């Protein structure tokens, strides 16, 4: 199946089963804003728990915070967001569509990479087992020509970005003959910077009101609380502060479902370290975070690190964790060594000392910061993309979401084989006993086969079927989602069998 088709199916599936809805749908929707439905909210909460517990519970020196979305407007001056949190935009004069200039060029780079991949796939087919990919990459003239093209464009693009040279970005688009996908024309405007922050007014009267911003990242709430947490928690460096919360960005190229939204949620951790040790910590967090992703079992080959082309002005190292979505490898998480930029800026703008007295060195300094920043929604899309599968069975196909059991929205469904003979009552009793520990669902409608399929489609790891034998010996059938294997077990064993599998411990054990 084409990858675009898989993605369309995923989006439709998320809606059909109550995971994700378009916001304000009955009013024809609001661009790049989404709501999470009855199952989506459960999955989202479980993802957040996986992150939060792995940060705060498993690291003695990481504590949590929940800061407000609204903050003093000067914070965004100090952080550089008022002046520099912008995207380079370009409009097509014929279609009147707006694009991010950097994204247009990145797509051009991906096209060239795609051509190389195509040559390799073709050659693989032609040569079969004797194919030596490395040799082919090093000698095939078409591959080599495209590789040179790629490298030249990449170098020119990185330089333009680093220099903030908007004219050069436009020139690249012209030289590469990039066309607007809607109008097909090359009739472009100049490239302009566009600030991504949403603003609103705080205060009752127009005269007394001041412009404030909806935070575009949760990180600044952590920086401005650094002293509060360090002092009241008697925290010793190195230590971290973790936060989960909403962030807002007026994204222009808002496509790809919940991959790029205007209102989204971030899980960020700022780790405060002694100056000079930040790159060691950067390396450590890079590995820790990659382990966290891979522990979910979606295939190590589907992850890679991507070094940044352009380092933000405050960073001395930055890397993205990329996951292979149906639309290609894309960023899920960023790990950044932010130096002492943010805390120093807040010192300057607030006039308050933001220091740490290091008893071992007997001196005070502004701590350096290593940040890990991941989008809840992107993580959600990663889980759904990895979990969605269509399986050909003997007689039909089944759609199954192979969500790791700890993250699954519903842990077990309890299904009376028939709606009579006291079976529904036993099923209800089982749920009553287990509902304090697990999210359970009761279902008595349709044939048992259809009910299994419904649970497969929402990723429920266990189905428990109550039948006539249950009345006699207190046993039920437990069916496993991934293998579809069924086993007869005593009712009183259910709690242990299920508990063992859905427990976060198993995931944490891999970290
Ligand atoms: P991108 O390059 O995709 O715009 P970014 O580099 O601006 O992302 P960061 O500022 O590093 O992203 O934000 C950290 C994380 O927050 C990202 O890795 C991503 O998971 C998430 N994120 C950022 N922007 C959005 C968005 N518009 N919608 C959903 N998640 C987002």
């Amino acid at each position: 199946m084409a990858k675009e088709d898989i993605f369309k199916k995923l989006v439709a599936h998320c809606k059909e089963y109550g995971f994700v809805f378009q916001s304000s749908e009955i009013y024809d929707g609001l661009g790049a804003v989404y709501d999470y439905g009855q199952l989506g909210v459960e999955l989202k909460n479980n993802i957040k728990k996986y992150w939060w517990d792995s940060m705060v519970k498993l690291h003695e020196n990481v504590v949590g915070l929940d800061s407000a979305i609204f903050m003093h407007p000067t914070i965004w001056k100090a952080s550089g967001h008022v002046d520099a949190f912008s995207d380079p935009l370009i409009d097509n004069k014929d279609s009147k569509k707006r694009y991010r200039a950097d994204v247009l060029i990145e797509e051009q780079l991906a096209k060239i990479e795609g051509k190389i991949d195509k040559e390799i796939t073709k050659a693989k087919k032609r040569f079969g087992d004797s194919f030596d990919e490395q040799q082919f990459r090093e000698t095939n003239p078409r591959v080599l020509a495209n590789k040179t093209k790629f490298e030249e464009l990449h170098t020119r693009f990185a330089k333009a970005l680093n220099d903030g040279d908007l004219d050069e970005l436009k020139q690249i688009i012209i030289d590469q003959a990039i066309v607007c996908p809607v109008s097909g024309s090359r009739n472009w405007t100049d490239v302009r910077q566009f600030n991504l922050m949403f603003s609103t007014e705080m205060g009752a009267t127009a005269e007394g009101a001041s412009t404030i911003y909806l935070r575009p990242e949760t990180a600044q709430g952590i920086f401005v609380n650094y002293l509060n947490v360090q002092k009241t928690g008697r925290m010793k460096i190195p230590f971290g502060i973790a936060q989960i919360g909403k962030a807002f960005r007026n994204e222009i190229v808002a496509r790809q479902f919940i991959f790029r939204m205007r209102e989204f949620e971030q899980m960020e951790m700022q780790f405060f370290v002694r100056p000079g040790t930040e790159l060691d910590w950067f390396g450590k967090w890079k590995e820790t975070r990659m382990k966290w992703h891979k522990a979910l079992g979606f295939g190590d080959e589907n992850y890679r690190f991507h070094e940044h082309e352009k380092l933000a002005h405050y960073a001395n190292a930055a890397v993205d964790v990329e996951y292979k979505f149906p639309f290609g490898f894309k960023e899920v998480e960023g790990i950044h060594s932010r130096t002492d930029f943010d805390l120093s800026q807040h010192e300057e703008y607030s006039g308050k000392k933001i220091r740490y007295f290091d008893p071992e060195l007997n001196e005070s300094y502004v701590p350096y910061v290593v940040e890990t920043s991941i989008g809840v929604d992107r993580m959600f899309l990663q889980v759904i993309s990895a979990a969605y599968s269509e399986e050909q069975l003997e007689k039909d196909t089944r759609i199954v979401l192979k969500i790791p059991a700890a993250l699954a929205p519903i842990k077990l469904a309890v299904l009376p084989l028939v709606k009579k003979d006291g079976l529904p009552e036993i099923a209800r009793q089982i749920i009553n006993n287990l509902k304090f520990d697990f999210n359970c669902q009761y279902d008595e409608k349709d044939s048992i086969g259809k009910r299994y399929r419904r649970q497969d489609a929402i990723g429920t790891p266990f189905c428990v079927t109550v039948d006539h034998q249950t009345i006699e010996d207190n046993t039920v059938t437990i069916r496993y989602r991934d293998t579809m294997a069924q086993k007869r077990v005593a009712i009183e064993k259910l709690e242990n069998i299920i508990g063992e599998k859905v427990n976060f411990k198993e995931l944490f054990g891999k970290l």
Side-chain angles (χ1 to χ4, degrees), residues 126-351:
R126 193 154 16 107
F127 296 115
D129 287 344
S130 62
F131 181 63
D132 180 341
E133 183 174 330
Q134 194 180 344
Q135 192 192 354
F136 187 79
R137 275 183 186 274
E138 283 164 9
T139 53
N140 180 275
R142 276 187 302 270
V143 170
L144 287 176
N146 275 317
K147 208 171 143 216
T148 310
K149 253 195 206 166
F150 181 92
E151 278 160 8
E152 278 171 8
L153 175 57
H154 189 262
T155 311
R156 196 176 160 195
F157 172 50
K159 181 167 179 349
L161 276 185
N162 274 314
D163 297 347
D165 188 343
L166 302 183
D167 293 340
E168 173 68 352
L169 284 178
K170 179 175 180 184
Q171 199 53 47
I172 295 176
I173 289 171
I174 290 170
D175 293 349
Q176 290 288 319
I178 295 175
V179 297
C180 163
V182 177
S183 67
S185 89
R186 296 182 206 164
N187 196 5
W188 297 108
T189 62
D190 286 343
V191 177
R192 285 167 302 120
Q193 290 290 7
F194 176 85
N195 195 293
L196 298 178
M197 281 199 295
F198 285 101
S199 62
T200 186
E201 305 265 291
M202 183 178 259
T205 59
E207 309 87 68
S210 62
T211 300
I212 55 166
Y213 300 98
L214 271 70
R215 65 179 178 201
E217 61 176 29
T218 62
Q220 296 304 324
I222 297 179
F223 294 131
V224 298
N225 275 294
Y226 160 80
L227 281 180
N228 285 335
V229 176
Q230 193 271 320
K231 292 213 163 112
T232 58
R234 294 182 295 119
M235 307 302 292
K236 295 214 167 32
I237 269 179
F239 75 92
I241 305 179
Q243 162 153 252
I244 299 180
K246 288 267 178 152
F248 306 83
R249 296 182 188 180
N250 196 2
E251 299 277 6
I252 295 308
V253 187
R255 278 179 286 143
Q256 289 164 333
F257 193 40
I258 54 172
F259 182 81
R260 192 175 297 288
M261 302 154 90
R262 296 201 166 103
E263 173 180 340
F264 58 101
E265 214 166 350
Q266 287 187 314
M267 306 189 277
E268 295 197 300
M269 196 276 304
Q270 310 295 324
F271 199 70
F272 301 92
V273 304
R274 186 184 284 176
T277 63
E278 72 276 10
L279 292 181
D280 282 346
W281 283 109
F282 173 76
K284 278 188 192 137
W285 280 110
K286 200 174 140 183
E287 294 316 314
T288 305
R289 295 303 304 145
M290 188 55 113
K291 254 194 201 166
W292 183 89
H293 284 278
K294 289 185 175 172
L296 292 171
F298 298 149
D300 290 4
E301 69 287 1
N302 292 320
Y303 296 90
R304 70 180 187 194
F305 285 119
H306 171 79
E307 307 287 336
H308 280 207
E309 250 98 69
K310 179 194 173 192
L311 283 181
H313 55 286
Y314 51 74
N316 66 0
V319 74
D320 295 336
V321 175
E322 292 190 337
Y323 176 74
K324 194 174 182 188
F325 287 98
F327 43 86
F329 270 105
K330 292 274 181 260
E331 169 181 347
V332 205
E333 171 157 9
I335 297 144
H336 312 122
S337 174
R338 292 178 78 126
T339 67
D340 60 350
F341 175 81
D342 301 272
L343 292 183
S344 298
Q345 287 290 100
H346 290 307
E347 258 202 346
E348 188 185 327
Y349 278 75
S350 70

Side-chain angles (χ1 to χ4, degrees), residues 401 403-406 408-413 455-456 458-463 478-482 498 501-502:
L401 288 188
I403 302 176
I410 308 288
K411 307 301 186 199
L412 77 151
Q455 295 301 329
D456 288 345
I458 63 170
T460 307
F462 303 101
C463 284
I478 184 162
R479 172 189 179 270
Y480 296 80
R481 176 194 69 197
D482 297 349
I498 296 165
K501 286 282 171 234
V502 306

